[in-house]
């Protein structure tokens, strides 16, 4: 770690006094509320319904009066009705899987791509990246924000980027070794898989592999996993958080103190709310994370409910940054699962099952992690009629459901048709998910 420990990409911003920051946030918030009110009919109607006009929002202290936004809004106003800039000013679309099989899409103006790249440049710098580094991007490059985010941040720093995208492990390792890659960006589960494969191939981190640090995120992980990863690869492993709706990765990032993720508070205002009442909670308390973007112009989000659970602290960090930090994500307030990086709602699978012939709406989703890759098994009960049908018919139905899940949800699942009445019934709330992943 040594001299890399305290380099800061944007000290004028990242180390602002809290007073300066509040003044900046208030100005930018007012601009964003005005832009949103004037350009996005849905939000204007929502503000009107609450009797709020843009001029009522005088600063950060008035944030709590604004209506919330939700993931369902992105679905209902898909694809372009939440844009606050002319369509032709949008230079990029990114997305993630959504609740209907259609992706959730976000539009970015040139300004927004730049805001995002800056957040990622800060993120990589906080993990020790300089222009001398060689950065392997093993997040998927595509609609998913992970790959492009890491690429843009490393490019902005002027580091050498190796845009591998995800998968093809042997090739990833060959490039890592041959090029002397020093930084890795991917999900923590894939990093662990890469680490184990490197060891199995007889390669020695520190000698054959020159990695020194990595930024790992897009899915929940734990301190125990950090210890394992750091040992496996001989690196500093930093947590990084983001979501498509707000910008992508880099909304929050860990510095090498590894004591929680600094939130890019000059670009987004975080809040923690009580998920049941919507009331803001003080620093230190755990609740639902809510973000307001204050510098984006394409598709600004005001009080966007992430459904991620964590807490915030504004205690000063030894790195010198003044941005508040968020803890690891400890859970979600909805039932969204993240399976191989894809957001999956059990209701999507239920929709497929309800439409299929020969099966009853009794099912169980079993999620596991095998060789550091997530697996999903869908167990669904056959009807009595189906149960006594021919083996080939049963197999046909099984294959049909497998294909439907792949096309609606976007991931491969193992479908098992089980005997009638074999899925456990519950007396209260049905338990439909067993998540055996040891984080
Ligand atoms: P997406 O928009 O597809 O990138 O998914 C965003 C979601 O991924 C977030 O709302 C979180 O639930 C999850 N996520 C992203 N980064 C992290 C992280 N570092 N730790 C835990 N969950 C994360
Ligand atoms: Zn710090």
């Amino acid at each position: 770690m040594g001299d890399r420990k305290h380099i800061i990409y944007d000290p004028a911003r990242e180390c602002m006094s809290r007073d300066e920051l509040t003044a900046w946030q208030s100005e930018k918030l007012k601009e964003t509320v005005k832009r949103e009110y004037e350009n996005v009919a849905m939000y204007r109607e929502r503000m009107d319904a609450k009797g709020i006009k843009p001029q009522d929002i005088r600063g950060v202290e008035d944030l709590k009066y604004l209506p919330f936004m939700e993931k369902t809004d992105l679905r209902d106003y898909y694809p372009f009705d939440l844009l606050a800039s002319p369509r032709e000013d949008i230079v990029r679309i990114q997305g993630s899987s959504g609740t209907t099989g259609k992706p959730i899409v976000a539009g970015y103006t040139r300004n927004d791509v730049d805001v995002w790249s800056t957040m990622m440049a800060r993120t990589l710098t906080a993990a020790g990246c300089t222009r001398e580094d060689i950065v392997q991007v093993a997040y998927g490059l595509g609609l998913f924000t992970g790959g492009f985010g890491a690429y843009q941040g490393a490019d902005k720093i002027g580091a050498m980027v190796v845009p591998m995208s995800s998968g093809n492990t042997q090739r990833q390792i060959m490039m890592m070794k041959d090029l002397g890659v020093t930084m890795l960006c991917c999900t923590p589960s894939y990093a662990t898989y890469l680490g184990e494969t490197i060891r199995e191939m007889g390669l020695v981190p520190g000698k054959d592999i020159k990695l020194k640090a990595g930024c790992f995120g897009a899915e929940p992980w734990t301190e125990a996993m950090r210890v394992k990863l750091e040992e496996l690869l001989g690196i500093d492993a930093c947590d990084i958080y983001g979501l498509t709706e707000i910008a992508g990765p880099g909304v929050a990032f860990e510095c090498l103190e590894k004591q929680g993720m600094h939130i890019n508070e000059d670009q987004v205002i975080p809040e923690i709310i009580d998920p049941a009442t919507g009331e803001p909670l003080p620093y230190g308390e755990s609740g639902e994370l809510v973000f307001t973007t204050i510098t984006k112009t394409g598709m600004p989000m005001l009080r966007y409910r992430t459904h991620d659970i964590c807490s915030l602290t504004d205690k000063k960090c030894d790195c010198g940054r003044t941005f508040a930090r968020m803890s690891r994500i400890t859970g979600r307030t909805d039932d969204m699962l993240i399976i191989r990086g894809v957001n999956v709602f059990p209701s999507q699978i239920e929709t497929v099952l309800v439409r299929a012939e020969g099966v009853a709406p009794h099912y169980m989703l079993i999620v596991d992690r095998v060789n550091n890759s997530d697996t999903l098994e869908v167990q669904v009960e056959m009807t009595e009629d189906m149960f006594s049908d021919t083996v080939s018919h049963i197999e046909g139905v099984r294959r049909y459901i497998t294909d439907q899940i792949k096309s609606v949800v976007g991931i491969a699942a193992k479908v098992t048709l089980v005997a009638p009445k074999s899925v456990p019934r519950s007396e209260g709330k049905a338990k439909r998910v067993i998540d055996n992943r040891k984080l």
Side-chain angles (χ1 to χ4, degrees):
M1 188 183 310
D3 56 350
R4 289 185 292 112
K5 191 164 174 187
H6 287 323
I7 44 173
I8 296 178
Y9 183 78
D10 222 349
R13 288 285 189 79
E14 294 176 72
C15 305
M16 258 169 163
S17 75
R18 295 297 298 181
D19 285 347
E20 268 179 295
L21 181 65
T22 305
W24 163 272
Q25 287 179 328
S26 294
E27 269 327 294
K28 293 288 162 189
L29 174 66
K30 285 192 278 186
E31 281 171 28
T32 306
V33 171
K34 185 165 179 289
R35 169 182 287 275
E36 190 78 354
Y37 189 85
E38 286 171 0
N39 295 288
V40 181
M42 170 283 238
Y43 206 75
R44 179 168 56 245
E45 282 156 21
R46 231 170 249 186
M47 281 176 66
D48 286 346
K50 281 191 122 197
I52 300 164
K53 294 277 175 257
Q55 55 273 23
D56 297 332
I57 305 299
R58 291 152 306 168
V60 186
E61 67 283 6
D62 294 329
L63 190 60
K64 56 180 180 287
Y65 301 119
L66 287 170
F68 290 114
M69 292 175 91
E70 284 276 2
K71 203 188 260 293
T72 46
D73 295 329
L74 282 101
R75 190 187 64 203
D76 297 344
Y77 297 91
Y78 172 89
F80 294 141
D81 287 352
L82 293 182
L83 294 184
S85 286
R87 222 288 297 129
E88 60 275 20
D89 287 349
I90 303 298
V91 298
R92 178 85 64 81
I93 288 293
Q94 300 277 173
S96 75
S97 60
T99 50
T100 60
K102 284 209 195 279
I104 294 289
V105 298
Y108 299 67
T109 57
R110 182 70 62 205
N111 163 78
D112 301 346
V113 172
D114 198 48
V115 163
W116 179 23
S117 305
T118 299
M119 294 201 286
M120 272 308 294
R122 293 174 182 175
T123 301
L124 287 160
T125 305
C129 183
T130 68
R131 58 190 301 277
E132 283 157 34
D133 280 291
I134 305 180
V135 182
Q136 186 150 334
V137 178
Y139 281 117
L141 273 145
L143 262 192
F144 172 55
T145 53
F148 271 96
Y151 158 70
Q152 289 160 200
D155 184 70
K156 189 147 185 140
I157 290 171
M160 183 193 288
V161 187
V162 189
M164 295 297 291
S165 197
S166 53
N168 214 338
T169 305
Q170 301 285 329
R171 206 176 176 74
Q172 299 264 6
I173 295 170
M174 181 182 80
M175 293 296 267
M176 206 180 271
K177 177 170 173 286
D178 293 353
L179 304 181
V181 168
T182 54
M183 298 207 60
L184 176 64
C185 298
C186 61
T187 59
S189 53
Y190 192 51
T192 311
Y193 183 54
L194 280 167
E196 284 171 352
T197 312
I198 285 170
R199 298 286 180 146
E200 278 164 21
M201 289 166 74
L203 298 172
V204 181
K207 186 165 147 270
D208 307 306
I209 298 290
K210 301 280 188 283
L211 283 182
K212 61 181 191 188
C215 295
F216 306 115
E219 64 187 11
W221 54 311
T222 56
E223 278 307 308
M225 202 153 155
R226 178 183 347 243
V227 172
K228 187 175 167 192
L229 244 180
E230 294 197 327
E231 214 176 81
L232 255 180
L233 287 165
I235 57 168
D236 284 306
C238 295
D239 198 359
I240 148 172
Y241 171 91
L243 62 167
T244 313
E245 301 86 322
I246 300 303
V251 170
F253 61 87
E254 265 183 343
C255 63
L256 286 165
E257 296 294 330
K258 301 173 199 164
Q259 299 287 324
M261 292 176 275
H262 289 283
I263 298 171
N264 275 298
E265 284 186 289
D266 60 333
Q267 320 283 355
V268 299
I269 305 177
E271 292 173 272
I272 294 290
I273 60 161
D274 177 332
T277 63
E279 283 306 309
L281 296 173
Y283 284 124
E285 280 192 39
S286 189
E288 181 179 338
L289 182 60
V290 171
F291 281 116
T292 298
T293 67
I294 50 173
T295 49
K296 288 211 314 176
T297 52
M299 204 175 97
M301 300 304 277
L302 295 169
R303 302 196 86 200
Y304 181 72
R305 294 185 65 156
T306 66
H307 292 277
D308 289 321
I309 300 171
C310 70
S311 62
L312 302 181
T313 176
D314 65 344
K315 287 210 183 82
K316 217 165 158 20
C317 181
D318 285 343
C319 71
R321 291 176 182 81
T322 47
F323 290 161
R325 283 167 292 157
M326 58 184 266
S327 67
R328 280 190 188 278
I329 303 293
T330 56
R332 290 193 50 91
T333 64
D334 60 14
D335 55 358
M336 187 179 91
L337 296 160
I338 301 182
I339 301 176
R340 291 195 293 275
V342 177
N343 302 345
V344 176
F345 289 88
S347 56
Q348 292 173 279
I349 294 176
E350 186 168 304
T351 312
V352 170
L353 299 178
V354 168
R355 287 197 200 125
E357 60 148 342
V359 294
H362 296 294
Y363 64 92
M364 189 67 88
L365 309 182
I366 299 157
V367 190
D368 213 331
R369 190 162 279 170
V370 179
N371 293 332
N372 296 301
S373 179
D374 298 332
T375 58
L376 169 64
E377 181 184 355
V378 178
Q379 292 185 350
V380 58
E381 275 182 19
M382 287 177 267
T383 57
E384 296 286 353
D385 279 356
M386 181 55 103
F387 192 47
S388 50
D389 210 321
T390 61
V391 172
S392 70
H393 190 197
I394 294 175
E395 176 55 18
V397 170
R398 198 191 65 76
R399 236 181 289 126
Y400 171 79
I401 295 175
T402 309
D403 290 348
Q404 284 294 303
I405 292 176
K406 176 89 188 117
S407 85
V408 172
V409 187
I411 58 165
K414 175 177 177 231
V415 175
T416 313
L417 300 186
V418 297
K421 307 220 165 32
S422 64
V423 170
R425 306 289 195 260
S426 59
E427 289 176 353
K429 240 164 129 63
K431 183 169 168 48
R432 303 210 186 277
V433 179
I434 300 175
D435 197 338
N436 290 323
R437 289 176 292 188
K438 304 257 179 312
L439 287 174

